[in-house]
């Protein structure tokens, strides 16, 4: 029984990787750099995107693909800022998928319009487990953690912190009001993903947002050099 | 392809419900009331349990079953308070399950020792999607949301808020420091689950903790009346 289950899951991940490679070829052909933005629910991904993308990102043509179980609250917020947004809802079928997979992203690509973009940010469903298991063909993964979630999170959800290229510690304006030790968080982070790039932000006060903008803006040229 | 996937998922949920019923029969035979405690990562479930269970709960013999992808950080914290804790790790096999299911709980029951308990609190993996889909044979579900996560969460993760008997709004000590409107949260909550019981707490200051203790302590007798 257990072996059957593992095989079903492995087949699903294999199929996902195949579609992720097809996505990747399409992204490369169109010259679009793709970022997979992941976090727990309520860590502030959308507020951060509002702060980061609201003023535009230099010459880059930026689009957002918004993943949610239900509704379009986040997409509506970003559309208000005149960011080009496409919504994916994962509640089709049964109770709702807890992550985006390569096929869901692929289905949305005709609507996204890759030919009009340089950078596509995919905001994943809020979840610290499954999004890490499903590649979507992305160039880079950003993991957002909020200081309200506790400094033990890298140890409790290691795969998530291990499979990303940038970790953003958000809501640092709350540091005086929560029992969160930044040094301990970075120590745990280093234990599960030694040397990973990390930034600290407050989408609310704007602190650190410029560094995220710079990291994102440099991504297409870093990709061209690779 | 999609229909096959839906069928696999439906089969898995069917199998889960069968095992959940077997768990339920065992719980009833042993006279143990079981609570499934669910939330997003970092909403403060463990801190709340420390505050609620630390001083004991009257005459009730209380145990905790701790679900985590990896590690035993939370179980260790509770064991320090001399609460009877059993750990389940879900990272067996592939990247880690994002929820507890009836079978994982069932496997742990011999270690839990139902005959020595009146109340078993099962702390689920931090996740706002999948735990709602998997019954474990529980009498009641408690959903914890932190004010740091935003007041839109009932609309974005409706199944989670719809399938519980009590909603606890935690970390209310942070209200002066975050953009969270309690009335709006309760309005959204009422939209997805009209009339559900709700409490407000701060595990950090102790505010509201006594009301949670009273709710839990009354659960076995409410169950006996049902």
């Amino acid at each position: 029984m257990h072996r059957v289950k593992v095989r079903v899951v492995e087949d699903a991940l294999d199929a996902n990787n195949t579609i992720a490679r097809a996505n990747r070829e399409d992204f490369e052909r169109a010259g679009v750099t793709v970022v997979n933005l992941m976090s727990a629910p309520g860590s502030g991904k959308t507020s951060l995107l509002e702060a980061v993308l609201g003023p535009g990102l230099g010459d880059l043509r930026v689009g957002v693909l918004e993943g949610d179980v239900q509704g379009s609250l986040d997409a509506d917020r970003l559309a208000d800022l005149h960011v080009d947004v496409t919504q994916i809802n994962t509640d089709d079928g049964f109770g709702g998928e807890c992550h985006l997979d390569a096929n869901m992203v692929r289905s949305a690509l005709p609507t996204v319009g890759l030919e009009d973009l340089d950078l596509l940010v995919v905001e994943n469903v809020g979840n610290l487990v499954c999004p890490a298991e499903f590649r979507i063909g992305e160039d880079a993964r950003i993991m957002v953690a909020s200081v309200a979630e506790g400094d033990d999170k890298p140890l409790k959800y290691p795969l998530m912190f291990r499979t990303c290229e940038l970790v953003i510690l958000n809501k640092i304006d709350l540091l005086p009001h929560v029992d969160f030790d930044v040094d301990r968080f970075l120590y745990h982070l280093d234990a599960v993903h030694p040397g990973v790039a990390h930034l600290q932000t407050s989408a609310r006060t704007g602190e650190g947002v410029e560094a995220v903008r710079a990291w994102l803006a440099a991504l297409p040229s870093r990709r061209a050099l690779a």
Side-chain angles (χ1 to χ4, degrees), chain A:
Chain A
M1 172 74 183
H2 185 59
R3 257 189 309 178
V4 171
K5 185 176 155 203
V6 169
R7 206 167 56 223
V8 167
V9 170
E10 283 175 350
D11 282 354
L13 289 177
D14 270 358
N16 184 75
N17 285 337
T18 302
I19 302 172
R21 276 192 296 272
N23 288 349
R24 178 115 197 96
E25 284 165 19
D26 286 359
F27 298 152
E28 286 184 351
R29 199 173 302 122
V32 180
T33 303
V34 178
V35 173
N36 188 354
L37 185 64
M38 313 185 297
S39 81
S43 66
K45 288 190 297 303
T46 310
S47 299
L48 199 58
L49 282 183
E50 287 177 321
V52 165
L53 302 181
L57 208 58
D59 294 338
L60 293 179
R61 299 168 301 168
V62 183
V64 174
L65 187 55
E66 210 28 82
D68 283 299
V69 175
Q70 213 173 83
S72 62
L73 289 171
D74 294 348
D76 297 344
R77 284 167 59 185
L78 291 166
D80 283 348
L81 295 172
H82 307 289
V83 175
D84 196 0
V85 191
T86 305
Q87 177 77 50
I88 302 181
N89 280 141
T90 68
D91 66 352
D92 195 30
F94 64 115
E97 292 280 0
C98 60
H99 58 275
L100 292 179
D101 64 24
N103 198 40
M104 295 182 216
V105 169
R106 189 155 194 81
S107 315
L109 292 185
T111 317
V112 167
L114 290 179
E115 61 284 354
D116 299 324
L117 296 179
D118 301 303
L119 177 68
L120 176 65
V121 179
V122 182
E123 185 177 341
N124 218 309
V125 179
N127 181 337
L128 284 190
V129 186
C130 301
E133 296 173 31
F134 290 83
R135 291 271 161 195
I136 56 171
E138 67 272 57
D139 293 275
R141 293 175 148 197
I142 300 178
M143 162 71 207
V144 182
S146 133
V147 301
E149 293 164 22
D151 49 37
D152 57 353
K153 289 300 161 292
L155 296 183
K156 294 183 71 180
Y157 302 91
L159 187 65
M160 201 74 175
F161 286 90
R162 195 173 286 141
T163 62
C164 60
E165 277 70 39
L166 174 66
V167 172
I168 298 177
L169 185 58
N170 193 27
K171 306 198 187 182
I172 56 169
D173 56 293
L174 290 180
L175 278 174
H177 313 295
V178 293
D179 303 316
F180 186 100
D181 184 327
V182 173
D183 288 339
R184 201 183 306 142
F185 175 83
L186 294 176
Y187 179 81
H188 293 331
L189 179 61
D190 193 61
V192 301
H193 193 164
V196 65
H198 52 84
L199 296 171
Q200 298 181 27
T201 58
S202 164
R204 201 172 185 229
T205 68
E207 196 177 343
V209 166
E210 204 47 53
V212 177
R213 289 169 50 78
W215 196 92
L216 276 178
L219 201 55
S221 51
R222 279 208 301 278
R223 179 172 178 270
L225 289 172

